[in-house]
Each structure stands twice: as C-alpha cells, then as structure tokens.
Amino acid sequence: MTDARTAELRGFKEVQRLAYACAEAVAARLRPGVTEREAARMQREWLRARGVRDWFHLPFAWFGDRTAFAGFRIPLQFFPTGRRLEAGMPFILDLAPVHRGFTADVGYSGCLGPNRLHGKLLADLEAHRELILREVRERRSLREIYEDVDRLMVRQGYANRHRAYPFGVIAHKIDRVKERRWSPHVFGFGTQSLKGLAGDALHGHRDGWSPLWSPYRFSDHPPKPGLWAVEPHLGFRGTGAKFEEILVVTDSRDPEQSAFWLDDDLPHVRRWAEAV
Amino acid sequence: MSNGAGGAGGTDTGLAGARERWVRTGGIELCVAELGDPARPTVLLVHGYPDSKEVWSQVAGRLADRFHVVLYDVRGHGRSTAPVPLRGGFTLEKLTDDFLAVADAVSPDRPVHLVGHDWGSVQSWEFVTVARTEGRIASFTSMSGPSLDHLGHWIKQRAARPTPRRAGQLLGQGAKSWYIYLLHTPVLPELAWRGPLGKRWPKILQRIEKIPGGTYPTSSLPQDAAHGAWLYRDNVRARLRRPRTDAYAHAPVQLITPTGDAFLSERLYDDLEQWAPHLVRRTLPAKHWVPRTRPDQLASWIGDFVMAHEDGGLPDRGAAPSGPYAERFGGQLVLVTGAAGGIGRATAFAFAEAGARIVAVDRDAEGAARTAELARLIGAPDAWAEPADVGDGQAMERLAEKVATEYGIVDVLVNNAGIGLSGAFLDTTAEDWKKVLDVNLWGVIHGCRLFGKQMAERGQGGHIVNIASAAAYQPSKALPAYSTSKAAVLMLSECLRAELAGQGIGVSAICPGFVNTNITSTAHFTGVSVEEEERRRKKTSRLYGLRNYPPEKVADAVLRAVVRNQAVVPVTPEARGARLLSRFAPGALRALARVEPPL
Ligand SMILES: NC(=O)c1ccc[n+]([C@@H]2O[C@H](COP(=O)([O-])OP(=O)(O)OC[C@H]3O[C@@H](n4cnc5c(N)ncnc54)[C@H](O)[C@@H]3O)[C@@H](O)[C@H]2O)c1
C-alpha cells in the first residue's frame, strides 16, 4: 500500500472513530423522556464542538418501533420526531459527519436498560458482518450478496429493514469531500456529498456499476474498489438493530487485501468479542 | 339444617379428600371445605346462584396440588344454614361478614386470593371494594358476576345520555336479565324451584349450557335456588338505585368473560378499568357455567394470576402481553406445523406475542428451534421445537403423545406445513402426486385426527386452523396437484367444522393468495430440466417478492379467524376476488385457469 493510501485510510478511520465516539457519548446521555429531535441535536452539537462543519447526512435518531421503521412509507419519516424514549426502548443513532474532508457514516444500536430481544438482534448481526466480507472477497455480485444477506435474515426469523432506505440499499459508496466555507444540505443530505454520489452514479451508469448497493439489476456487478458504508438493518416486530461502518474494497489479488473492514475496534465488534 | 347432601367430604360431591370444618358467624353456620397444603397461598372459591360450593369441584381439584384451596357454601346454600328470617338475611354486608369469618379461620395471617363465579363474583366485588377487608385480599378473579355498584353506574350513564349505541347496550343487557325480574316476584320462584324447575334443572344445564352430567348439581339445588332468590331481593334494587360511588378495588383484579354468556353482556365491563386499575382481562369462548365446562383454562389462569401476585411475583419477563389477542390466548397451548418459516413462523410469533405457549413443529429442526427461541423472547411463557414430518403418520402419533404428556392438550392447532408443486397434469408423476398429497393433505389429516381427538376427549373446546389456499377454489392449469390438495383441505375443514361444532371446537380454513415466503424457492416444477426448474424458482420468487404480501398479515388473519370462529377466510385481495368470482362468475375463473403463468 502506498503512503498516500495509508494516510487516506487513516483519515477515514479517524472520522469513523469520531462518529462512533459521538454515538457512544450521546447514547450514554439518553434518559427516559428525551425525544428523537433532542438526540439528533445532541449529536450535531457534539460533533460541531469537535470541528465538524459538513455532513454526508445530518444525524438521525430512531426510538422504539421506529428502529424497525414500522409503518414507514415516505422518506420524510426518517427524520427525527418528538417520540420520547422510555425504559426498555431500543434506539438507533445514525450519523455521517465530514471531518477534514473525510466522510464517515455510522449506525449505533442501543437500548435504554436491559432488553433480551434487542440483545439477540445485536448478536445476530455478527453473522452478517462475516458473510458480507467473505462474499465481497469472493467477488460475488453485489446483488447476489444482497440476496444472501436477505436469506440469512429470513432464516434468522427477521425482516430486512435496510430495504426501507432510499433504493433499498444495504450500502453506498462514500468518498472524500472538498472542504468549503459554506456547506448547505437538502433534505438532510450534504450537497457536496450528494454531488460526489451523483457523479459516481453517472460514471457508473456508463461503465455498468452503481455507488448504491441495492437489490436491483444495476447492482448486478462485482464489488467496485473504493470505500463502502455498509449498513445491514434487522427488524423484528417493532424492534430494529443495525450497524454501519466502512468496508474497504481494493483491486488487490490477495483476498485478504482485496476487502477488509476499515476498523475492527468498534463498539459492536467489541461487544461480540466480549460475549465469547 | 334441613339438608345433608354429600356427607363429610363425600365423594359424590366431587370434592374427594376435602377436609371439612364449620365456621360460626352472625347466628349461622357455614360449611367450609379445604384441599391442598395450608402452607401454600390460599385460594378462596365463592360459588354463585343457584349453586353450592360443589360447582367448583373440578377447578378446586386442579388447583389443589399448588395451592391451599378453600370453598364454602354461601349462607342458605348447600350445607350451610340459612338466616331467620330469610328477608334481610342476605345483604351484601352480611355476606361480607361471612367472607371475613371464613378467611380469618382458614388463613388468619395472610391475605387470600379470591375467586368468584356468578353471584359469588357479585359478592366478591363487594368484598374487594369495601374498606374493612383491606389487607385481607391478595387478588380477585371475577367471572360472570359484576359489581352491583358498577352495574348501577353503568345503567345510569346509559339511561342519562341514551345515544342509540348506549340505548342498544342497555336494552341488550335488559333482555338478558329476565330472570332477575322473575326472581323479584314473591313466592313464585320458590314454588318453581321446589317443584318442576328444580327437577328439570340438571337436564336444562346439560342441554342448553352443555354441562357434562354426573355429580353436579347436588341434591340441595331446590333449596339453594329458593333461598338464593333473597340474594336478589335483598340487594339488587337497593344497589342499582343508589350505587356506591367509592367502589374501587383495593386488590388486583382479573376478569374472565365467557363470550357466549346468556346472562351477561360483555359490554357491562367496558368501563371497568376506572374501578379496577391494572385490570387483567381474559375472554373464553364458552357459556355461563365455565367452572363446569372449562376447568383446565380457569385453573391455569387463576394459578398464573395468583402466582403473579404472591410476594415477589413472577420474575420479570419483559413487557407483559396485552391487547385483545392476549385476553383470549394468554397461557393457551398453540401448536403450529411448518413453523420454521413463512406463514407458520409468523403465526407462531403472533400467538407468542399474545402470551400463548408455542409448540413449533417442522421437519427443519434448526428453523423450528429458532422459532421457539424467538417466541420466548416476544412473550411466549414457554415454547418448544418439535422436529417432525407431518406426512409421516407414525411420527405424528409419537408427536401427539409427547405433546399431550409433556405440554398438555392443545387449545389451538394450526395445520400449516405445505409444499408447492407446479406443472401440467400430464407432466406430473405418481411420485410427485404422492409427495404433495402426503404433506399438504395427509399432514392436515394427521393433525386433525390426532390433536382433534385429544381436544374432543378433553371436552373443553378448542380450535383447529387449516391453511388451505386460494388455489382451493381457483382452478389453474399450472397447479393441478397443488390445487387438488388444497381443495381437499378446504372440504375437510368444512366437514370437520360441522362435526365438531357441538363440542365447542371451531374449525377454520385460511385461503391466502400470493404471499412472500420461501415456498417459491423450494417448490417443485414438473416436466422441466433442473436448470429450468431453478430459473422458474428464481423468477417466481422475484414475482412473489414484488407482490410482497407479508406472511404476518396471514398470521393476523389466523388469530382473527380463531377469535371470531370464522369458517373460511380468504386472505389477500386476489384470494377474496377469486372467492367472489367462484360464487358469482365461475366462468370467469375457468377462463383464468387457462392463462399461461408469466414464467
Ligand atoms: N406462500 C404462499 O403464497 C401461499 C399461498 C397460499 C397458501 N400457502 C400455504 O401456506 C402454508 C405455509 O406456506 P409458506 O408459504 O409459509 O411456505 P414456506 O415454505 O415458507 O414454509 C413451509 C414450512 O413447512 C415446512 N414443511 C414442509 N413440509 C413439511 C413436512 N412434511 N413436515 C413438516 N414441515 C414441513 C417447511 O420446512 C417450511 O418451514 C402452506 O401450506 C402453503 O401451501 C402459501
């Protein structure tokens, strides 16, 4: 790996760690009665105080059965609401800051107090992290991998809830973003990042690939080198859980180097290690 | 004392092994029977009208291994003596004195768990809402007997502001209360009970209320019924005219409502939460005399409620199931075949969420285990996985035996396991036919045969759900064998429904259209190469995926069908459409049958 590449990955790793640190700090401050809007604002303020000026998307917070996107029909329903947290309720914080030109997009699942069902969902996400990495290394088509994740979820007894995201994506490419003094956003998404994604989509369309990893035909291609924010999302009768983190895909011939998770020291990975 | 029916702890009363004692209070003597270990929590059963404590014999027997069970004859009933004069001797105040005297005698140091049926429940409502019993009652399970004070307010509210709906509710209950008016006439009821009515009563109970014959009712009946008329005369008019305004329960209440009760409207309890906070509701498809007709279910609900309110209560299992399905299915035993995936798994989860105990049967052992594991996490007090091939008669017999001995008699059976088979009739081999009929038809036959028999033998009702398909009435040249198997299931369900109706066992057939499950990727396509079969599986799976009708909605239809005892339930718009066509335009269905499927 070249030095430039190592430095670049370090940049992404740092912002991803920053994002997870934010999620953990905010999660620790959640109390019964806090609303989704307040939780979203806590994330924004925490990151602003640490130099974040631009976003891939503004922070989201989902509480209770909204973690499983129960009854979601239109994208506006993703935005934080006045729903209040209660004891035993699951929650998800989803945030995508841009820091020094590097983007991260992370998802943090937690629960206010013990909830055995939620614990089970979190534990069952581990198999998905392994499956995705294995099949990306095998250079299977993204659409096929998507379907295999789907099948595993069904076998586990769960519903695929990433299907509710725009285009039903389980992942999307992320990239470096130019730092601007003024970084506006539309519908919660940073315009700089959207521009990057749209550019990729345009190129990809010509070359037969897409920056959106979906169940549709346009994802019927082998993994494209680059950085992918992968977010498998399980739902089970009003309880949802996900993780989201960066998967690095390269054009190396060595399988180990052809794909790897950018960072293995993340809250959900640590939790699985502790459970063993 | 004028009546000696039964002898001390007499076996002909059904209270075998009971210890007997007499409690003196307010000039009368109450006959009290006790079963079980006195060190255990005390459950006190209060009988109704016209009855004596023996009405509880079956419930008492089922509770005695876990609890200290106490029963007594209400004053003037059974072997207890009657007040002199009768008039004014049956007021709720005096009945409360009796209760306290019995409770103090049998459980002086600990509060008792009260259970009342009919007038036993009416008086128990008084016990649990007056101040002087506070601390003496740990919980109260009420069946078929409202508080007269609550009833008074209920009537007043509806009479004061009689919207059409409220007036209807009022008239509805009014019509069910004919016997109360009759009982207020002087002398006549006594004459009737001591004469022809008393003689015929056992037969009437058997015929109309479906109460099995035998040792009940006891020979004291005419006497009980004649004295008991004073329960009404001494209390009803006075309380309904001036109901107490402070009749709040000071102990947790569980309300069990038989949905087929000829004497009480379910609407009576609409406002009950205002008087009894944290009320637990249960509904039971049965008639008025549930202590005789549903002893297993009552013993199970009473036992659970008592344990939940003993010191410390049950270990917390997370959110308690609630909602209309929980009222009906809480604690019941539900067996689902093909429960490792699709509709069967979703159905098992829906019952689990309602608090039922689940037996998940499938030939996919791992998938069934997974279903059972998740079922426990979402509300099933217990759940077990049982690997079995439903098409294998002997395996099913072993299963039925194991379930009966280890988990109990199934309350709801869902025959769901099924496989898909597609292809022209002329391409379908005898082997193909055998496979699909073995699972889809014989699986259902074995289920109904074995578990239906257990239900009927228990004689306490139940329900069987068979998952047929819209293909049962929608012919198609693409699915001859599958459709035939499903048509057979539909007809079997209808016949069985007729046969079991008299035994309180309902049978429903569910007919879904296209549901997004794994069935498409395991279905067999006849007459094509292996590659072509794989291609068709993928294609159908994608089509069903686009249709995207979730199995959870079918599961919901299953639970609703049981609650409403529906005969045939088409699910999905296409299934309902085809059902309509089959009745009004069968020609159109036949035309559809010729259409080549888009594969
Ligand atoms: N999916 C649909 O569109 C649809 C439509 C109408 C009716 N149905 C019926 O609904 C029922 C459930 O189907 P599904 O769609 O959930 O399919 P599914 O394939 O997802 O589930 C069927 C389950 O039954 C099990 N099973 C199959 N054969 C068995 C056997 N011999 N013994 C024990 N278990 C066995 C399977 O292992 C599987 O877990 C079937 O009877 C099917 O015919 C399905």
Side-chain angles (χ1 to χ4, degrees), chain B residues 337-345 361-364 388-392 415-420 438-440 467-471 482 486 510-520 522 544 551:
Chain B
T337 69
I343 296 169
R345 181 179 259 178
V361 177
D362 205 292
R363 63 178 169 198
D364 168 4
D389 177 348
V390 296
D392 177 343
N415 287 308
N416 159 82
I419 53 174
D438 270 353
V439 182
N440 293 10
I467 308 296
S469 165
Y482 180 79
K486 291 300 181 179
I510 311 293
C511 302
F514 304 108
V515 184
N516 191 10
T517 70
N518 240 343
I519 198 165
T520 45
T522 54
Y544 276 54

Side-chain angles (χ1 to χ4, degrees), chain B residues 124-147:
Chain B
S124 294
W125 270 112
E126 173 81 359
F127 309 160
V128 82
T129 56
V130 293
R132 62 190 172 118
T133 58
E134 229 164 305
R136 297 298 292 133
I137 301 173
S139 77
F140 169 39
T141 296
S142 159
M143 46 196 101
S144 295
S147 148

Side-chain angles (χ1 to χ4, degrees), chain B residues 236-252:
Chain B
V236 174
R237 236 176 313 175
R239 281 300 171 97
L240 293 192
R241 209 170 290 156
R242 283 212 265 124
R244 284 163 50 212
T245 53
D246 61 347
Y248 297 100
H250 49 64

